[in-house]
């Protein structure tokens, strides 16, 4: 079943068209990796889906409902959650306070504060730590936990591993891939090997357009790299 459908979605920054007329379907339950060079339009696309950036054209449908004109908080209520680039936690607030804010706006679903602390045991030990005092990996886990608490049907994560140590990246992916009640996932991942490892499908963006879309089992790393650099 199609969960998210983009129909000729365009996103602009002033005069620059970052994403021209993108059409894309995401099926319920799939893990999709979005890759592409700096400036390819990955963040703009995620932010447009989440309602953090306006669509300049086209339609965004979530489970058949047109959400193109809905503000971000309504999209959260309908099951879309974004872990933005840079995490955007409240730095002066503790882990518990950051999570409590999300829990207040949660949809009905499997994720509760108790479940989050049972799953993210590291965070249980850091409950009273300010977000600004966490390591990058701990911040990323907190941001993912915060998004899960809204009980999303589709979880969008921008730059999963950017700025994290290899150990932290392993920890984040270990958590993501072993979650019970895992939502449908759209991940932006700079590390191609990692993207091909965790996702069922990979999409490579080049200047806002889909240069390649394939099941990860059907493409080689070399083919994705060629698409990345516009060589195919
Ligand atoms: P990165 O990996 O660097 O975040 P990206 O693939 O996420 O890259 P975007 O950040 O979506 O790409 O950028 C797409 C295009 O839009 C780029 O040409 C970028 O310079 C431009 N752009 C992004 N944000 C803005 C902004 N706030 N104002 C103007 N132009 C922007």
């Amino acid at each position: 079943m199609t969960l998210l459908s983009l129909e000729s979605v365009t996103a602009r920054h002033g005069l620059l068209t970052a994403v021209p007329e993108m059409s894309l379907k995401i099926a319920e339950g799939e893990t999709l990796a979005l890759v592409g060079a700096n400036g390819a339009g990955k963040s703009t696309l995620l932010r447009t889906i989440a309602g953090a950036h306006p669509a300049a054209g086209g339609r965004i449908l979530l489970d058949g409902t047109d959400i193109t004109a809905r503000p971000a908080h309504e999209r959260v209520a309908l099951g879309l959650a974004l872990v933005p680039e840079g995490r955007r936690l409240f730095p002066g607030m503790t882990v518990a306070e950051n999570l409590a804010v999300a829990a207040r706006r949660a949809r009905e679903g499997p994720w509760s504060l108790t479940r989050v602390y049972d799953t993210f045991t590291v965070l249980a030990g850091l409950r009273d730590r300010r977000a600004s005092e966490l390591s990058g990996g701990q911040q990323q886990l907190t941001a993912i936990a915060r998004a899960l608490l809204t009980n999303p049907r589709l979880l969008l994560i921008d730059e999963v591993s950017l700025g994290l140590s290899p150990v932290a990246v392993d920890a984040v992916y270990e958590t993501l891939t072993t979650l019970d009640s895992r939502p449908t996932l759209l991940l932006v991942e700079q590390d191609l090997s990692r993207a091909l490892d965790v996702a069922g499908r990979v999409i490579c963006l080049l200047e806002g357009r889909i240069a390649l879309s394939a099941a990860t089992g059907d493409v080689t790393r070399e083919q994705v790299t060629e698409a990345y650099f516009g060589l195919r």
Side-chain angles (χ1 to χ4, degrees):
M1 193 201 86
T2 299
L3 180 58
L4 186 85
S5 183
L6 304 184
E7 297 177 352
S8 301
V9 170
T10 296
R12 298 202 174 97
H13 295 287
L15 292 177
L16 176 97
T17 301
V19 178
E21 304 202 4
M22 158 106 32
S23 293
L24 171 68
K25 285 187 193 311
I26 301 179
E28 177 124 58
E30 79 170 317
T31 297
L32 181 59
L34 189 60
V35 302
N38 284 346
K42 307 178 298 293
S43 297
T44 303
L45 182 62
L46 256 60
R47 289 169 48 78
T48 306
I49 294 171
H53 187 87
R59 297 203 309 161
I60 304 170
L61 307 173
L62 181 67
D63 202 8
T65 303
D66 188 342
I67 59 165
T68 323
R70 302 285 191 101
H73 69 272
E74 284 185 22
R75 298 189 201 197
V76 174
L78 290 168
L80 272 180
L82 170 67
V83 176
E85 195 172 354
R87 277 68 99 168
R88 305 279 170 98
L89 298 171
F90 297 109
M93 281 169 41
T94 63
V95 168
E97 288 164 347
N98 269 284
L99 296 182
V101 173
R104 274 214 304 275
R105 284 178 294 174
R107 292 162 22 95
E108 293 278 307
W111 291 97
S112 62
L113 272 174
T114 314
R115 171 118 186 244
V116 158
Y117 285 130
D118 284 348
T119 308
F120 297 72
T121 45
V122 186
L123 296 185
L126 295 167
R127 258 178 242 229
D128 298 324
R129 189 79 58 88
R130 280 180 204 278
S132 58
E133 292 163 1
L134 300 177
S135 69
Q138 292 164 348
Q139 286 184 16
Q140 186 67 303
L141 283 180
T142 307
I144 291 169
R146 181 180 61 175
L148 284 171
L149 273 169
T150 66
N151 282 303
R153 299 182 67 188
L154 174 61
L155 177 56
L156 313 162
I157 310 184
D158 203 351
E159 302 286 8
V160 178
S161 49
L162 188 75
L164 301 187
S165 69
V167 174
V169 175
D170 285 344
V172 169
Y173 273 110
E174 164 78 20
T175 308
L176 274 179
T177 53
T178 56
L179 286 178
D180 290 337
S181 344
R182 177 147 58 123
T184 307
L185 284 172
L186 173 56
L187 312 169
V188 171
E189 178 51 80
Q190 290 288 357
D191 180 340
L192 279 189
S193 305
R194 188 71 77 161
L196 291 172
D197 237 26
V198 299
R201 183 154 66 110
V202 61
I203 286 186
C204 183
L205 288 192
L206 184 71
E207 295 174 359
R209 298 176 199 275
I210 297 177
L212 175 145
S213 168
T216 47
D218 293 344
V219 280
T220 61
R221 198 175 185 287
E222 288 65 36
Q223 286 171 317
V224 182
T225 308
E226 280 174 24
Y228 192 101
F229 291 111
L231 300 173
R232 65 197 311 267

